């Protein structure tokens, strides 16, 4: 099953084209779910599972994969569905999020589909599982629910947004107080982390839940005569978002003379070896993996030093 995954070089060709590949799978029923292929390392049959005392209720146990011990998370139970029963024929999806590797127990993998982000929509407010979804789409007339894995992981290992005291005592950061930043992310967990961390610097924050909303916001400010590099200290944008991803957003910013001078940071849970080529291709100024409060402050400091 791991053979269905494309190479990194092939997948990076989608960067800046507002396209993505999703891996579709089922959990405890017939409903299709998905995650971005960029996050997936491999798909395989469940190796020998070792139970651990005092483990989180969503964690089935751990497996040893080529010398690395990985937690196995029951993704069905984690999003409020019926728990899966692990067995020798079970399937796991091994993923990397925010510099950590974990396996998700699933009911079965369907296939990989190449899609346009414009076909990926925010979940309707009536969706019963919207608490754990970042988006929905349709494939062959079947509804596909895209899971907010960051929220699942944050419930198992809560994130820390506290900045080290020595970082906050840096006099350069005083220049951030009162400045404005734009946060672009479809994950409420990621937005909360950004708000909690940047709030310690005294900055004013604007928020958009996807790249298209952010671009419209930026253009509206520019249309009103605002000098954008004076207004915004920087933009933090996620990579994966409905309707317009962070790569396309950055490309659009660079193509607009009124916006192209803005400092754009790609702030994402993607942490594989392809990040450097992504950042260079679309013209981001900096890259940062999520849930690293001290490094987030370091990036703000780097931006302030350019003034």
């Amino acid at each position: 099953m791991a053979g269905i995954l494309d190479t990194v070089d092939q997948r990076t060709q989608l960067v800046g084209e507002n396209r993505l590949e999703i891996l579709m799978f089922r959990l405890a029923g017939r409903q299709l779910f998905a995650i971005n292929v960029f996050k997936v390392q491999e798909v395989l049959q469940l190796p020998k599972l070792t139970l651990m005392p005092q483990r989180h209720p969503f964690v089935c146990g751990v497996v040893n994969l080529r010398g690395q011990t990985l937690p196995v998370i029951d993704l069905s139970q984690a999003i409020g569905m019926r728990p899966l029963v692990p067995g020798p024929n079970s399937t796991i999806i091994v993923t990397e999020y925010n510099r950590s590797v974990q396996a998700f127990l699933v009911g079965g993998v369907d296939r990989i589909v190449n899609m346009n982000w414009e076909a990926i929509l925010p979940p309707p407010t009536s969706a019963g599982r919207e608490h754990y979804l970042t988006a929905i789409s349709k494939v062959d007339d079947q509804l596909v629910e895209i899971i907010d894995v960051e929220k699942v992981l944050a419930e198992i290992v809560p994130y820390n947004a506290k900045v080290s005291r020595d970082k906050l005592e840096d006099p350069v950061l005083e220049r951030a107080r009162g400045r404005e930043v734009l946060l672009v992310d479809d994950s409420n967990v990621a937005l909360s982390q950004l708000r909690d961390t940047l709030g310690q610097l005294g900055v004013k924050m604007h928020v958009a839940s996807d790249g298209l909303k952010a671009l419209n916001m930026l253009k509206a400010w520019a249309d009103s005569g605002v000098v954008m590099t004076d207004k915004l200290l920087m933009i933090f944008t996620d990579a994966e978002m409905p309707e317009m991803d962070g790569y396309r957003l950055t490309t659009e910013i660079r193509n607009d003379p009124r916006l192209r001078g803005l400092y754009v940071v790609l702030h994402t849970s993607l942490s594989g070896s392809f990040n450097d080529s992504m950042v260079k291709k679309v013209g981001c100024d900096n890259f940062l993996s999520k849930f690293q409060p001290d490094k987030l402050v370091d990036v703000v400091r780097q931006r302030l030093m350019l003034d």
Side-chain angles (χ1 to χ4, degrees):
M1 200 64 201
I4 67 175
L5 300 179
D6 294 335
T7 66
V8 165
D9 287 341
Q10 288 172 323
R11 280 182 274 158
T12 55
Q13 297 305 309
L14 302 176
V15 173
E17 304 300 326
N18 210 39
R19 299 189 67 81
L20 80 159
E21 287 178 319
I22 58 172
L23 173 63
M24 300 193 301
F25 53 89
R26 288 182 169 84
L27 296 175
R30 296 184 57 80
Q31 173 62 46
L32 280 171
F33 297 90
I35 57 176
N36 193 326
V37 169
F38 265 132
K39 308 291 181 65
V40 179
Q41 290 191 348
E42 58 185 314
V43 178
L44 68 159
Q45 196 170 347
L46 177 66
K48 181 183 178 182
L49 188 68
T50 301
L51 301 182
M52 302 291 288
Q54 298 180 328
R55 64 187 185 274
H56 190 280
F58 299 161
V59 177
C60 306
V62 298
V63 295
N64 188 283
L65 196 61
R66 290 182 290 279
Q68 187 176 17
T69 300
L70 304 180
V72 177
I73 298 165
D74 181 346
L75 193 52
S76 182
Q77 185 178 10
I79 67 170
M81 296 177 64
R82 174 167 51 88
L84 296 170
V85 180
N89 296 319
S90 296
T91 300
I92 59 171
I93 302 174
V94 181
T95 66
E96 182 180 0
Y97 283 81
N98 304 319
R99 309 165 316 284
S100 70
V101 179
Q102 53 282 310
F104 291 109
L105 181 70
V106 299
V109 167
D110 186 86
R111 59 195 156 119
I112 284 176
V113 177
N114 186 312
M115 302 188 73
N116 192 302
W117 271 111
E118 292 170 358
I120 308 295
L121 304 173
T125 54
S126 59
R129 283 185 294 274
E130 68 175 69
H131 198 46
Y132 291 97
L133 303 182
T134 58
I136 60 169
S137 189
K138 275 196 172 182
V139 176
D140 298 335
D141 292 326
Q142 284 188 285
L143 181 69
V144 180
E145 300 184 350
I146 299 175
I147 294 177
D148 186 351
V149 178
E150 291 170 6
K151 177 171 178 56
V152 171
L153 295 176
E155 291 188 350
I156 296 171
V157 182
Y159 68 83
N160 175 25
K162 188 173 178 60
V163 180
S164 301
R165 178 175 294 182
D166 62 317
K167 296 283 185 185
L168 292 176
E169 290 175 349
D170 188 332
V172 173
L173 293 176
E174 277 299 314
R175 305 209 301 263
R177 191 165 300 278
R179 299 291 298 272
E180 297 180 44
V181 300
L182 174 60
L183 315 179
V184 192
D185 206 303
D186 62 335
S187 170
N188 287 330
V189 171
L191 284 174
S192 294
Q193 184 261 340
L194 279 169
R195 284 193 184 103
D196 292 349
T197 300
L198 293 172
Q200 296 168 66
L201 304 182
V203 299
K204 178 181 178 182
M205 290 166 270
H206 304 276
V207 173
S209 59
D210 63 63
L212 184 58
K213 290 185 177 68
L215 184 62
N216 290 338
M217 187 183 298
L218 293 169
K219 288 187 172 182
W221 283 329
D223 288 344
S224 69
V226 172
V227 178
M228 296 306 298
T229 50
D230 291 343
K231 179 175 180 61
L232 290 179
L233 176 66
M234 58 204 306
I235 299 172
F236 291 93
T237 180
D238 187 20
E240 305 172 54
M241 293 176 289
E243 300 196 83
M244 180 182 288
D245 65 23
Y247 310 118
R248 172 56 69 86
L249 170 62
T250 305
T251 300
E252 295 290 337
I253 288 172
R254 297 303 179 227
N255 289 337
D256 189 324
R258 305 168 304 170
L259 308 177
R260 66 167 55 122
L262 288 168
Y263 191 93
V264 181
V265 179
L266 190 66
H267 182 243
T268 172
S269 55
L270 296 169
S271 50
S273 60
F274 40 77
N275 286 321
D276 287 342
S277 71
M278 287 181 173
V279 169
K280 290 174 183 175
K281 181 172 180 179
V282 300
C284 293
D285 294 287
N286 216 322
F287 167 84
L288 180 68
S289 292
K290 290 181 178 177
F291 310 117
Q292 301 184 89
D294 281 0
K295 290 189 176 181
L296 180 62
V297 169
D298 286 341
V299 168
V300 175
R301 188 184 190 281
Q302 291 171 28
R303 169 64 188 93
L304 290 167
M305 293 298 290
L306 297 175
D307 285 347

